[in-house]
Amino acid sequence: MAEDKQSSVPISSGAASSRIAPTPVNTPLNAAPISQGLSRPTVPDITEEETEVKGEDLINRLGGLNLRPTGIVEVLPAPVARRVEGLKGLHAEYCQVEHQLKREMLELEKKYLLKFTPIFERRKAILLGASEPTPEEVAAGEAVSAKDDPDGAAVAKQEREDAEKNLSAEDKAIKGIPNFWLTALRNHEGLSDLITEKDEEALAYLTDIRLVYLADTTPGFKLIFDFAPNPYFENEYLEKSYHYQDELGETGDYIYDRAVGSEIKWKEEKDLTKAVEIKKQRNKATNRTRLIRRSHTVPSFFNFFNPPAQPTREEIENGEVDDDLLEELDEKLELDYQIGEDLKERIIPRAIDYFTGKALEYDLEGIEDEDDYEDMDDDDYEEEI
């Protein structure tokens, strides 16, 4: 089994994610304290003439106050403040039920993964050429194509049937669907930015991507990339595990804790994540020259298996991590989290749609094109009040 490791080498940045991943970096344990030296929101002073102000009058003032989270309770009449505390208790009860819901949903996902697995195994057999699709499977696929594009599907079917009558020897020798997973990954907006031309040569040996849930004691999942023997690395498969904290975040979702990737056993001079620079040096005393080889990290899809290392909460709270570096790290963690989620929720279950490009249609739903808008003339602009 491949050895797991964590590393500080970042993956290449890709397309910006539309969802923000909950991470330990952007999800503090407690509300951030007000920094020393900054002014706190204040409540207007109450003069002696206003000491008998009624609770209703005081409540009416709250709308104009800029209060910190606990400040609003401090100025409420005692009976109202007590009720607020009661609502907090009810919300805590809600959170307990919600946590139970998330746990049961996770168990339901595990249950249905067992039902999906035979379908995925059948898909793998067809992709690798170990089996041909049955007439029933082909007919079901043609029905899907006809629903998506009735006219185009009919033409494509006729052209395919005509071509099958006069196959060349080269076409007959093709097994399965070559470069299926490479094409599917390239058709994902975020992953396509990570895959270099050199990566494509290695990813051509990718035979399957599988999903496995982690043990019951650890919420999370594992992605397994199976590879055929290839000239790049010794591993038969590469893994990436995503671990979540046991407690839910304030939004009711699991909080991303850490990711762990396989150590890739690269063959000699085949490491796609490194580039080697060769420099010539001359000895001042002997005038002899020598060659120095230095390697440095380069963008590659395979950096995905070497996820960003994150600081501990203690290091963050003690200010041991530079704010700019922390922000950069948070962006990398969000990207890494989003790619893992997309592989789990989109690419693995809908691989055929990513291969054909159909997935691009629903991936881009809701994204508006700038060309759909035009500048307004000054006469057409009215300021809203």
Side-chain angles (χ1 to χ4, degrees):
M1 182 173 180
E3 180 182 355
D4 288 346
K5 71 172 184 177
Q6 287 181 286
S7 171
S8 59
V9 179
I11 60 176
S12 306
S13 60
S17 169
S18 60
R19 290 185 291 174
I20 297 179
T23 72
V25 176
N26 64 22
T27 310
L29 286 173
N30 302 302
I34 298 178
S35 302
Q36 185 176 3
L38 297 180
S39 61
R40 291 177 177 269
T42 57
V43 180
D45 294 335
I46 299 178
T47 64
E48 293 182 1
E49 297 177 356
E50 296 172 317
T51 54
E52 299 298 327
V53 66
K54 296 181 180 179
E56 182 178 356
D57 295 332
L58 185 56
I59 293 174
N60 290 335
R61 292 185 179 188
L62 295 178
L65 298 181
N66 182 19
L67 298 172
R68 62 188 186 279
T70 57
I72 192 170
V73 179
E74 295 174 1
V75 300
L76 288 174
V80 178
R82 182 177 180 277
R83 294 171 194 135
V84 169
E85 295 302 321
L87 291 182
K88 291 181 182 179
L90 285 175
H91 181 66
E93 182 180 350
Y94 167 84
C95 290
Q96 292 178 356
V97 177
E98 184 181 40
H99 197 169
Q100 181 182 356
L101 170 64
K102 295 293 183 179
R103 284 290 191 184
E104 292 183 4
M105 288 176 62
L106 181 59
E107 293 303 316
L108 192 61
E109 288 183 7
K110 294 179 181 180
K111 173 184 176 181
Y112 274 85
L113 178 60
L114 296 177
K115 296 185 177 184
F116 293 145
T117 298
I119 300 175
F120 295 156
E121 289 294 333
R122 175 64 181 158
R123 177 178 68 185
K124 180 179 180 180
I126 295 174
L127 293 180
L128 299 182
S131 179
E132 290 292 333
T134 65
E136 292 77 14
E137 290 168 339
V138 173
E142 291 174 342
V144 173
S145 298
K147 182 179 179 181
D148 293 339
D149 182 8
D151 296 334
V155 173
K157 178 181 179 181
Q158 186 61 52
E159 291 178 348
R160 187 192 73 238
E161 291 177 347
D162 292 342
E164 287 178 339
K165 298 175 182 178
N166 298 289
L167 290 177
S168 65
E170 183 179 358
D171 288 341
K172 291 180 180 179
I174 297 175
K175 291 186 177 181
I177 304 179
N179 296 327
F180 177 86
W181 286 106
L182 169 60
T183 304
L185 295 177
R186 290 286 293 178
N187 280 338
H188 180 274
E189 184 179 4
L191 285 168
S192 64
D193 292 335
L194 304 181
I195 299 174
T196 67
E197 291 185 8
K198 292 184 178 180
D199 291 336
E200 291 182 359
E201 298 175 10
L203 289 173
Y205 293 91
L206 180 60
T207 60
D208 198 15
I209 306 178
R210 295 179 284 134
L211 168 67
V212 176
Y213 285 99
L214 301 181
D216 294 338
T217 55
T218 305
F221 61 92
K222 178 188 295 184
L223 302 170
I224 304 174
F225 294 70
D226 293 323
F227 285 86
N230 62 82
Y232 293 93
F233 45 81
E234 302 290 348
N235 311 64
E236 294 182 1
Y237 56 86
L238 300 176
E239 298 179 344
K240 180 73 170 287
S241 299
Y242 286 88
H243 299 256
Y244 296 93
Q245 297 180 12
D246 186 60
E247 295 298 325
L248 298 180
E250 294 182 358
T251 60
D253 296 317
Y254 280 110
I255 300 175
Y256 173 91
D257 185 47
R258 69 189 188 281
V260 182
S262 293
E263 178 183 1
I264 303 178
K265 300 177 182 178
W266 296 103
K267 295 183 179 180
E268 187 175 359
E269 298 185 354
K270 291 294 185 177
D271 190 342
L272 299 175
T273 66
K274 304 288 185 182
V276 178
E277 292 182 354
I278 301 178
K279 292 186 177 181
K280 183 182 293 187
Q281 291 184 341
R282 184 181 301 277
N283 188 298
K284 296 180 180 179
T286 64
N287 205 33
R288 291 183 177 180
T289 60
R290 65 175 182 176
L291 297 179
I292 301 296
R293 298 168 60 90
R294 295 177 180 175
S295 64
H296 62 274
T297 302
V298 295
S300 170
F301 166 81
F302 290 94
N303 285 321
F304 173 72
F305 299 99
N306 201 357
Q310 54 195 38
T312 63
R313 288 194 179 277
E314 291 74 16
E315 291 174 334
I316 296 174
E317 293 171 355
N318 294 335
E320 300 177 17
V321 184
D322 181 81
D323 289 343
D324 292 338
L325 292 178
L326 195 61
E327 182 177 354
E328 180 182 352
L329 173 62
D330 198 34
E331 292 176 356
K332 292 175 180 177
L333 289 173
E334 288 178 9
L335 175 62
D336 185 67
Y337 167 91
Q338 187 60 58
I339 289 176
E341 286 290 320
D342 279 2
L343 283 164
K344 170 179 174 282
E345 299 290 342
R346 293 170 175 261
I347 296 178
I348 291 178
R350 296 175 173 82
I352 184 60
D353 287 345
Y354 279 93
F355 176 79
T356 62
K358 178 181 177 180
L360 296 176
E361 299 176 8
Y362 49 77
D363 275 356
L364 296 177
E365 285 182 1
I367 300 179
E368 297 176 331
D369 193 333
E370 290 293 332
D371 294 337
D372 294 337
Y373 291 86
E374 60 181 7
D375 294 335
M376 296 176 61
D377 296 332
D378 292 340
D379 295 340
D380 296 331
Y381 177 77
E382 294 182 2
E383 183 177 357
E384 294 184 0
I385 300 177

Coordinates of all heavy atoms in Angstrom, one line a residue, residues 11-84:
I11 N -0.4 22.8 -4.3 CA -0.9 22.5 -5.7 C -1.0 23.8 -6.5 O -1.2 24.8 -5.9 CB -2.2 21.7 -5.7 CG1 -3.3 22.5 -5.0 CG2 -2.0 20.4 -5.0 CD1 -4.6 21.9 -5.1
S12 N -1.0 23.6 -7.8 CA -1.1 24.8 -8.6 C -2.5 25.4 -8.5 O -3.5 24.7 -8.3 CB -0.9 24.4 -10.1 OG 0.4 23.8 -10.2
S13 N -2.6 26.7 -8.5 CA -3.9 27.4 -8.4 C -4.6 27.2 -9.7 O -4.1 27.3 -10.8 CB -3.7 28.8 -8.1 OG -2.9 29.5 -9.1
G14 N -5.9 26.9 -9.5 CA -6.8 26.8 -10.7 C -7.9 27.8 -10.7 O -7.8 28.9 -10.1
A15 N -9.0 27.4 -11.3 CA -10.1 28.4 -11.4 C -10.6 28.6 -10.0 O -10.7 27.7 -9.2 CB -11.2 27.8 -12.3
A16 N -11.1 29.8 -9.8 CA -11.6 30.1 -8.5 C -12.8 29.4 -8.2 O -13.7 29.2 -9.0 CB -11.9 31.6 -8.4
S17 N -12.9 28.9 -7.0 CA -14.1 28.1 -6.6 C -15.3 29.0 -6.2 O -15.1 30.1 -5.7 CB -13.7 27.2 -5.4 OG -14.9 26.7 -4.8
S18 N -16.4 28.5 -6.6 CA -17.6 29.3 -6.3 C -18.1 29.1 -4.9 O -18.9 29.8 -4.3 CB -18.8 29.0 -7.3 OG -19.1 27.6 -7.2
R19 N -17.6 28.0 -4.2 CA -17.9 27.7 -2.9 C -16.7 27.9 -2.0 O -15.6 27.6 -2.4 CB -18.5 26.3 -2.7 CG -19.8 26.1 -3.3 CD -20.3 24.7 -3.1 NE -19.5 23.7 -3.8 CZ -19.6 22.4 -3.6 NH1 -20.5 21.9 -2.7 NH2 -18.9 21.5 -4.3
I20 N -16.9 28.4 -0.8 CA -15.8 28.6 0.2 C -15.7 27.4 1.1 O -16.7 27.1 1.8 CB -16.0 29.9 1.0 CG1 -15.9 31.1 0.0 CG2 -14.9 30.0 2.0 CD1 -16.1 32.4 0.7
A21 N -14.6 26.7 1.1 CA -14.5 25.5 1.9 C -14.3 25.9 3.4 O -13.5 26.8 3.7 CB -13.3 24.7 1.4
P22 N -15.0 25.3 4.3 CA -14.8 25.5 5.7 C -13.5 24.8 6.1 O -13.4 23.6 6.1 CB -16.0 24.9 6.4 CG -16.5 23.8 5.4 CD -16.1 24.3 4.1
T23 N -12.5 25.6 6.5 CA -11.2 25.0 6.9 C -10.8 25.5 8.3 O -11.4 26.5 8.8 CB -10.1 25.5 5.9 OG1 -9.8 26.9 6.2 CG2 -10.5 25.3 4.5
P24 N -9.9 24.8 9.0 CA -9.5 25.3 10.3 C -8.9 26.7 10.2 O -8.9 27.4 11.2 CB -8.4 24.3 10.7 CG -8.7 23.1 9.9 CD -9.3 23.6 8.6
V25 N -8.4 27.1 9.1 CA -7.8 28.5 9.0 C -8.9 29.5 9.0 O -8.8 30.6 9.6 CB -7.0 28.6 7.7 CG1 -6.5 30.0 7.5 CG2 -5.8 27.6 7.7
N26 N -10.0 29.3 8.2 CA -11.1 30.3 8.2 C -12.2 30.0 9.1 O -13.3 30.7 9.0 CB -11.5 30.5 6.7 CG -12.2 29.3 6.2 OD1 -12.7 28.4 6.9 ND2 -12.3 29.1 4.8
T27 N -12.1 29.0 10.0 CA -13.2 28.7 10.9 C -12.6 28.7 12.3 O -12.2 27.7 12.8 CB -13.8 27.3 10.6 OG1 -14.1 27.2 9.2 CG2 -15.0 27.1 11.5
P28 N -12.5 29.9 13.0 CA -11.9 30.0 14.3 C -12.7 29.3 15.3 O -13.9 29.1 15.2 CB -11.8 31.5 14.6 CG -12.9 32.1 13.7 CD -13.0 31.2 12.5
L29 N -12.1 28.9 16.4 CA -12.8 28.2 17.5 C -13.8 29.2 18.2 O -14.9 28.8 18.5 CB -11.8 27.7 18.6 CG -11.0 26.5 18.2 CD1 -10.0 26.2 19.2 CD2 -11.9 25.3 18.0
N30 N -13.4 30.4 18.3 CA -14.2 31.4 19.0 C -14.3 32.6 18.1 O -13.5 32.8 17.2 CB -13.7 31.8 20.3 CG -13.5 30.6 21.3 OD1 -14.5 29.9 21.5 ND2 -12.3 30.3 21.7
A31 N -15.3 33.5 18.4 CA -15.4 34.7 17.7 C -14.1 35.5 17.9 O -13.6 35.6 19.0 CB -16.6 35.5 18.1
A32 N -13.6 36.2 16.8 CA -12.3 36.9 16.9 C -12.5 38.0 17.9 O -13.4 38.8 17.8 CB -12.0 37.4 15.5
P33 N -11.5 38.2 18.8 CA -11.6 39.3 19.8 C -11.3 40.6 19.1 O -10.7 40.7 18.1 CB -10.5 38.9 20.8 CG -9.5 38.1 20.0 CD -10.3 37.4 19.0
I34 N -11.9 41.7 19.7 CA -11.6 43.0 19.2 C -10.1 43.4 19.6 O -9.7 43.3 20.7 CB -12.6 44.0 19.8 CG1 -14.0 43.7 19.4 CG2 -12.2 45.4 19.4 CD1 -15.0 44.6 19.9
S35 N -9.4 43.8 18.6 CA -8.0 44.0 18.8 C -7.8 45.2 19.8 O -8.6 46.1 19.8 CB -7.3 44.4 17.5 OG -7.4 43.3 16.6
Q36 N -6.7 45.1 20.6 CA -6.4 46.1 21.5 C -6.1 47.4 20.8 O -5.4 47.4 19.8 CB -5.2 45.7 22.4 CG -4.9 46.7 23.5 CD -3.8 46.2 24.3 OE1 -3.2 45.2 24.1 NE2 -3.4 47.0 25.4
G37 N -6.7 48.5 21.2 CA -6.4 49.8 20.5 C -7.6 50.2 19.6 O -7.7 51.3 19.2
L38 N -8.4 49.2 19.2 CA -9.6 49.5 18.3 C -10.7 49.9 19.2 O -11.0 49.4 20.3 CB -9.9 48.4 17.4 CG -8.8 47.9 16.4 CD1 -9.4 46.7 15.6 CD2 -8.5 49.1 15.5
S39 N -11.5 50.9 18.7 CA -12.7 51.3 19.5 C -13.8 50.3 19.4 O -14.0 49.7 18.4 CB -13.2 52.6 18.9 OG -13.6 52.5 17.6
R40 N -14.5 50.1 20.5 CA -15.6 49.2 20.6 C -16.9 49.9 20.3 O -17.0 51.1 20.6 CB -15.7 48.6 22.0 CG -14.6 47.6 22.4 CD -14.8 47.1 23.8 NE -13.8 46.2 24.2 CZ -13.9 44.9 24.0 NH1 -15.0 44.4 23.5 NH2 -12.9 44.0 24.4
P41 N -17.9 49.2 19.7 CA -19.2 49.9 19.5 C -19.7 50.3 20.9 O -19.6 49.5 21.9 CB -20.0 48.8 18.9 CG -19.1 47.8 18.4 CD -17.9 47.9 19.2
T42 N -20.3 51.4 21.0 CA -20.8 51.9 22.3 C -22.2 52.2 22.2 O -22.8 52.5 21.1 CB -20.0 53.2 22.7 OG1 -20.2 54.2 21.6 CG2 -18.5 52.9 22.9
V43 N -22.9 52.3 23.4 CA -24.3 52.6 23.5 C -24.3 54.1 24.0 O -23.6 54.5 24.8 CB -25.0 51.7 24.6 CG1 -26.4 52.1 24.7 CG2 -24.8 50.3 24.2
P44 N -25.2 54.9 23.3 CA -25.3 56.3 23.8 C -25.5 56.4 25.2 O -26.3 55.6 25.8 CB -26.4 56.8 22.9 CG -26.5 55.9 21.7 CD -26.1 54.6 22.2
D45 N -24.9 57.4 25.9 CA -25.1 57.6 27.3 C -26.5 58.0 27.6 O -27.2 58.7 26.8 CB -24.2 58.8 27.8 CG -22.7 58.4 27.7 OD1 -22.4 57.2 27.7 OD2 -21.9 59.3 27.6
I46 N -27.0 57.5 28.7 CA -28.4 57.8 29.2 C -28.3 58.9 30.3 O -27.6 58.7 31.3 CB -29.1 56.6 29.7 CG1 -29.2 55.5 28.6 CG2 -30.5 56.9 30.3 CD1 -29.8 54.2 29.1
T47 N -28.9 60.1 30.1 CA -28.8 61.1 31.0 C -29.7 60.9 32.2 O -30.6 59.9 32.2 CB -29.2 62.5 30.4 OG1 -30.6 62.4 30.0 CG2 -28.3 62.7 29.2
E48 N -29.6 61.7 33.2 CA -30.5 61.5 34.4 C -31.9 61.6 34.1 O -32.8 61.0 34.7 CB -30.1 62.5 35.5 CG -28.7 62.3 36.0 CD -28.4 63.3 37.1 OE1 -29.3 64.1 37.4 OE2 -27.3 63.3 37.7
E49 N -32.2 62.5 33.1 CA -33.6 62.6 32.7 C -34.2 61.4 32.0 O -35.4 61.3 31.9 CB -33.8 63.8 31.8 CG -33.4 65.2 32.4 CD -33.5 66.3 31.4 OE1 -33.8 66.0 30.3 OE2 -33.2 67.4 31.9
E50 N -33.3 60.5 31.6 CA -33.8 59.3 30.8 C -33.7 58.1 31.7 O -33.9 57.0 31.1 CB -33.0 59.2 29.6 CG -33.1 60.3 28.6 CD -32.1 60.2 27.4 OE1 -31.0 59.9 27.7 OE2 -32.5 60.4 26.3
T51 N -33.4 58.2 33.0 CA -33.2 57.0 33.8 C -34.5 56.2 33.9 O -34.4 55.0 34.2 CB -32.8 57.4 35.2 OG1 -33.7 58.4 35.7 CG2 -31.4 58.0 35.1
E52 N -35.6 56.8 33.7 CA -36.9 56.1 33.8 C -37.4 55.6 32.4 O -38.6 55.3 32.3 CB -38.0 57.0 34.4 CG -37.6 57.5 35.8 CD -37.5 56.3 36.8 OE1 -38.2 55.3 36.6 OE2 -36.6 56.4 37.7
V53 N -36.5 55.5 31.5 CA -36.9 55.1 30.1 C -37.5 53.7 30.2 O -37.1 52.8 30.9 CB -35.7 55.1 29.2 CG1 -34.7 54.0 29.6 CG2 -36.1 54.9 27.7
K54 N -38.6 53.5 29.4 CA -39.3 52.3 29.4 C -38.5 51.3 28.5 O -37.8 51.6 27.6 CB -40.7 52.5 28.8 CG -41.5 53.4 29.7 CD -42.9 53.5 29.1 CE -43.8 54.4 30.0 NZ -45.2 54.6 29.5
G55 N -38.8 50.0 28.7 CA -38.2 48.9 27.9 C -38.5 49.1 26.5 O -37.6 48.9 25.6
E56 N -39.7 49.4 26.1 CA -40.1 49.6 24.7 C -39.3 50.7 24.0 O -38.9 50.5 22.9 CB -41.6 49.9 24.7 CG -42.1 50.0 23.2 CD -43.6 50.2 23.2 OE1 -44.3 50.3 24.3 OE2 -44.1 50.4 22.1
D57 N -39.1 51.8 24.7 CA -38.3 52.9 24.2 C -36.9 52.4 23.9 O -36.3 52.7 22.9 CB -38.3 54.1 25.1 CG -39.7 54.7 25.2 OD1 -40.5 54.5 24.3 OD2 -40.0 55.3 26.3
L58 N -36.4 51.6 24.8 CA -35.0 51.1 24.7 C -34.9 50.2 23.5 O -33.9 50.3 22.7 CB -34.5 50.4 26.0 CG -33.1 50.0 26.0 CD1 -32.2 51.1 25.8 CD2 -32.8 49.3 27.4
I59 N -35.9 49.3 23.3 CA -35.8 48.4 22.2 C -35.9 49.2 20.9 O -35.2 48.8 19.9 CB -37.0 47.4 22.3 CG1 -36.8 46.5 23.5 CG2 -37.1 46.6 21.0 CD1 -38.0 45.6 23.8
N60 N -36.6 50.3 20.8 CA -36.7 51.0 19.6 C -35.4 51.6 19.2 O -35.1 51.9 18.0 CB -37.7 52.2 19.8 CG -39.2 51.6 19.8 OD1 -39.4 50.5 19.3 ND2 -40.1 52.4 20.5
R61 N -34.5 51.8 20.2 CA -33.2 52.4 19.9 C -32.2 51.4 19.2 O -31.3 51.7 18.6 CB -32.5 52.9 21.2 CG -33.2 54.1 21.8 CD -32.4 54.5 23.0 NE -32.9 55.7 23.6 CZ -32.3 56.4 24.6 NH1 -31.1 56.0 24.9 NH2 -32.9 57.4 25.1
L62 N -32.5 50.1 19.4 CA -31.6 49.1 19.0 C -31.3 49.1 17.5 O -30.3 48.7 17.1 CB -32.1 47.7 19.5 CG -32.1 47.5 21.0 CD1 -32.7 46.1 21.3 CD2 -30.8 47.7 21.6
G63 N -32.3 49.5 16.8 CA -32.2 49.4 15.3 C -31.1 50.3 14.8 O -30.5 50.0 13.8
G64 N -30.7 51.4 15.5 CA -29.7 52.3 15.1 C -28.4 52.0 15.7 O -27.4 52.8 15.4
L65 N -28.2 51.0 16.5 CA -27.0 50.7 17.2 C -26.1 49.7 16.4 O -26.6 48.8 15.8 CB -27.2 50.2 18.6 CG -28.0 51.1 19.5 CD1 -28.1 50.5 20.9 CD2 -27.2 52.4 19.7
N66 N -24.8 49.9 16.4 CA -23.9 49.0 15.8 C -23.2 48.2 16.9 O -22.2 48.7 17.4 CB -22.8 49.8 14.9 CG -21.9 48.8 14.2 OD1 -22.2 47.7 14.1 ND2 -20.7 49.4 13.8
L67 N -23.8 47.1 17.3 CA -23.3 46.4 18.5 C -22.6 45.1 18.1 O -22.9 44.5 17.1 CB -24.5 46.0 19.3 CG -25.4 47.2 19.9 CD1 -26.6 46.7 20.6 CD2 -24.5 48.0 20.9
R68 N -21.6 44.8 19.0 CA -20.9 43.5 18.8 C -21.9 42.4 19.2 O -23.0 42.7 19.8 CB -19.7 43.5 19.7 CG -20.0 43.6 21.2 CD -18.6 43.8 22.0 NE -18.8 43.8 23.4 CZ -19.2 44.8 24.1 NH1 -19.5 45.9 23.5 NH2 -19.3 44.7 25.4
P69 N -21.6 41.1 18.9 CA -22.6 40.1 19.1 C -23.2 40.0 20.5 O -24.4 39.8 20.7 CB -21.8 38.8 18.8 CG -20.8 39.3 17.8 CD -20.5 40.6 18.2
T70 N -22.4 40.3 21.6 CA -22.9 40.2 22.9 C -23.4 41.5 23.4 O -24.1 41.6 24.4 CB -21.8 39.7 23.9 OG1 -20.7 40.7 23.8 CG2 -21.3 38.3 23.5
G71 N -23.2 42.6 22.7 CA -23.6 43.9 23.1 C -25.0 44.1 23.2 O -25.6 44.8 24.0
I72 N -25.8 43.5 22.2 CA -27.2 43.7 22.1 C -27.9 43.2 23.4 O -28.9 43.7 23.8 CB -27.8 43.1 20.8 CG1 -29.2 43.6 20.6 CG2 -27.7 41.6 20.9 CD1 -29.8 43.2 19.3
V73 N -27.4 42.1 23.9 CA -28.0 41.5 25.1 C -27.8 42.4 26.3 O -28.7 42.5 27.2 CB -27.4 40.1 25.4 CG1 -28.0 39.4 26.6 CG2 -27.7 39.2 24.2
E74 N -26.7 43.1 26.4 CA -26.4 43.9 27.5 C -27.3 45.1 27.7 O -27.5 45.6 28.8 CB -24.9 44.4 27.4 CG -23.9 43.3 27.5 CD -22.5 43.8 27.2 OE1 -22.4 45.0 27.0 OE2 -21.6 43.0 27.2
V75 N -27.9 45.5 26.6 CA -28.8 46.7 26.7 C -30.3 46.3 26.6 O -31.1 47.2 26.7 CB -28.5 47.7 25.5 CG1 -27.1 48.2 25.6 CG2 -28.8 47.1 24.2
L76 N -30.6 45.0 26.5 CA -32.0 44.6 26.5 C -32.6 44.6 27.9 O -31.8 44.4 28.9 CB -32.1 43.2 25.9 CG -31.9 43.1 24.4 CD1 -31.9 41.6 24.0 CD2 -33.0 43.8 23.6
P77 N -33.9 44.9 28.1 CA -34.5 44.7 29.4 C -34.3 43.3 29.8 O -34.3 42.3 29.0 CB -36.0 45.0 29.1 CG -35.9 45.9 27.9 CD -34.8 45.4 27.0
A78 N -34.2 43.1 31.1 CA -33.9 41.8 31.7 C -34.8 40.7 31.2 O -34.3 39.6 30.9 CB -33.9 41.9 33.2
P79 N -36.1 40.9 31.2 CA -37.0 39.8 30.7 C -36.7 39.4 29.2 O -36.8 38.2 28.9 CB -38.4 40.3 30.8 CG -38.3 41.4 31.8 CD -37.0 42.0 31.6
V80 N -36.4 40.4 28.4 CA -36.1 40.1 27.0 C -34.8 39.3 26.9 O -34.6 38.4 26.1 CB -36.1 41.4 26.2 CG1 -35.7 41.1 24.7 CG2 -37.4 42.0 26.2
A81 N -33.8 39.8 27.7 CA -32.5 39.2 27.6 C -32.6 37.7 28.1 O -31.9 36.8 27.5 CB -31.5 39.9 28.6
R82 N -33.4 37.4 29.0 CA -33.6 36.0 29.5 C -34.2 35.2 28.4 O -33.8 34.0 28.2 CB -34.6 36.0 30.7 CG -34.8 34.7 31.3 CD -35.7 34.8 32.6 NE -35.9 33.4 33.1 CZ -36.9 32.6 32.7 NH1 -37.7 33.0 31.7 NH2 -37.0 31.4 33.3
R83 N -35.2 35.8 27.6 CA -35.8 35.0 26.5 C -34.7 34.7 25.4 O -34.8 33.7 24.8 CB -36.9 35.8 26.0 CG -38.1 35.9 27.0 CD -39.2 36.8 26.5 NE -40.1 37.1 27.6 CZ -40.5 38.4 27.9 NH1 -40.1 39.4 27.1 NH2 -41.3 38.6 28.9
V84 N -33.8 35.7 25.2 CA -32.8 35.5 24.2 C -31.9 34.3 24.6 O -31.5 33.5 23.8 CB -31.9 36.8 24.1 CG1 -30.7 36.5 23.2 CG2 -32.7 37.9 23.4

